[in-house]
Amino acid sequence: MKPIQTTKRALRRFLLETQLLLPSREERASSAAELRERVMDVIRQLECVQIDPVSAVRPNQHLALAARIPGYEPGILNELLREHRVFEYLANAACMIPIEQYPIFEPVRQRLRERTQAHLDQLGSVAEQVLQRLESEGPLSAKSFESDQRVHGYWDNVSAKTKATSHALNLLTDAALIRIVGRQGNQRLFDVTRRSVPAGLLASAERIGTPEALDAMMRHYFRAFRVFEPSDPRLGWQRLAARERREAIERRVASGEVAPVQVEGLKSLYYILSSDLERFSVHHDEDLARVGRPDEEGPVRFLPPLDNLLWSRKRLEDLFDFTYRWEIYTPAVKRKYGYYAMPILAGDRLVGRMDPRLDSKKRHLTVQLLQFDRATDLTDRLHKNVLSELDSFARMHGADTFSVEQYAFGQEDDG
């Protein structure tokens, strides 16, 4: 198939639309039930939402959903988890995934069972006792299990600090013998998988063949990314070598499932689903006619560091001319934009970053740095829109007031 010729603006606007970030958020839901269904619908459209415990304001999953859903409440996601309408597992990383996708992740579960078995064997009776208690008493949190034994857990670098029972819970979760079925604050609630996944989906997971499951996972990935290319080592959320990734896309181009896109000014190709061609052509035609608002005059949103739009740093640089690095692991003295710097999306451009901290007791949001990139045309209107959205962002996340400690203009966006 001959590559479709297009522009950065057309492709990024298509990407933003499919990521539910263009042109504006839907109206506020009229009831709690409607809001819960809207959250479920957004998760289905995104295919999954990445989970992260870091909470400068709220964890990543809540910030990602709040950027797309007016009136979003964090408790809704926990309700969906308790109702077994979503499940937590590894896709792009740890993610919330619609429960109907459970069967296709069987190859991942099989791989992790093989990887974790030796570690579970080392724990001996501890893992068996944890599993037995969950069978008889679940759901239970890690605090429900007492253990004086300390072992090397996932995050222990030197000394053994993790409770043996907590490590068993993590291993059993990865092996999918148990799963997370709810949260109480920062505490996860665990239950056995056979009781918390619908029987029909468990049966489908047992029947599905590995090639069929891997093919379905690849399509799941394509729908989540919408605009993709083979240099991503996570392609299909599978462990594929570079050659295998290229071949996987080439096969789907040959079959007509995937279409190559040549972006003006870029050397390498991007790809979209052929089923998205009509949707994409609207943005291509609009760009040729320069229809729509100026790039930076649309709605403003603040995106968390692990937002779906930010999963590919290469795509950000190519389509948005925006370089982003999450500096959480950068020593404080070397940070340029802050511990939790959130990219600022204005219309269809990423224009800068803001680094927030929420003081829930004082109900105040402090923006430690509000930074705009050199290429941004910081008009009075854009500045006003950003401050207005900061006020809305603060109130949505439980603050009555906000303040900006420091502004930065014209910095290099080199991350």
Side-chain angles (χ1 to χ4, degrees), residues 180-252:
I180 299 162
V181 296
R183 292 176 182 269
Q184 293 177 339
N186 292 326
Q187 286 290 307
R188 300 171 296 172
L189 295 176
F190 300 89
D191 201 358
V192 292
T193 297
R194 65 168 185 78
R195 188 164 55 210
S196 60
V197 174
L201 293 177
L202 286 176
S204 295
E206 290 177 1
R207 290 194 304 266
I208 195 168
T210 297
E212 179 187 355
L214 292 175
D215 189 57
M217 280 182 63
M218 184 67 74
R219 291 191 174 99
H220 184 52
Y221 170 97
F222 290 160
R223 293 192 303 269
F225 273 73
R226 293 293 176 173
V227 176
F228 47 90
E229 45 79 35
S231 74
D232 183 4
R234 297 162 299 180
L235 187 81
W237 295 315
Q238 300 165 36
R239 296 183 168 187
L240 301 176
R243 176 182 56 79
E244 294 173 313
R245 297 195 299 269
R246 291 192 300 271
E247 290 175 350
I249 291 181
E250 288 168 1
R251 283 196 303 272
R252 287 164 174 82

Side-chain angles (χ1 to χ4, degrees), residues 96-158:
M96 286 284 190
I97 308 167
I99 193 67
E100 54 265 30
Q101 300 287 355
Y102 185 85
I104 71 173
F105 283 85
E106 187 60 23
V108 182
R109 290 189 288 270
Q110 290 175 355
R111 172 170 55 82
L112 290 179
R113 284 186 197 117
E114 293 172 2
R115 193 182 79 180
T116 57
Q117 188 57 56
H119 299 284
L120 285 168
D121 291 342
Q122 289 176 0
L123 288 174
S125 62
V126 173
E128 185 178 342
Q129 290 167 5
V130 166
L131 200 53
Q132 288 175 350
R133 276 200 65 191
L134 288 173
E135 285 272 9
S136 60
E137 303 175 39
L140 297 172
S141 70
K143 283 187 175 181
S144 302
F145 298 88
E146 295 182 1
S147 176
D148 294 329
Q149 182 183 355
R150 294 294 182 269
V151 298
H152 284 278
Y154 286 172
W155 302 279
D156 297 337
N157 294 323
V158 182

Side-chain angles (χ1 to χ4, degrees), residues 327-359:
E327 297 179 324
I328 188 171
Y329 301 114
T330 302
V333 295
K334 294 184 178 181
R335 287 177 190 147
K336 189 171 184 179
Y337 302 114
Y339 166 82
Y340 206 78
M342 298 175 64
I344 303 169
L345 178 66
D348 66 11
R349 297 302 304 269
L350 290 164
V351 299
R353 304 153 183 81
M354 73 101 171
D355 185 29
R357 300 291 185 280
L358 176 66
D359 187 327

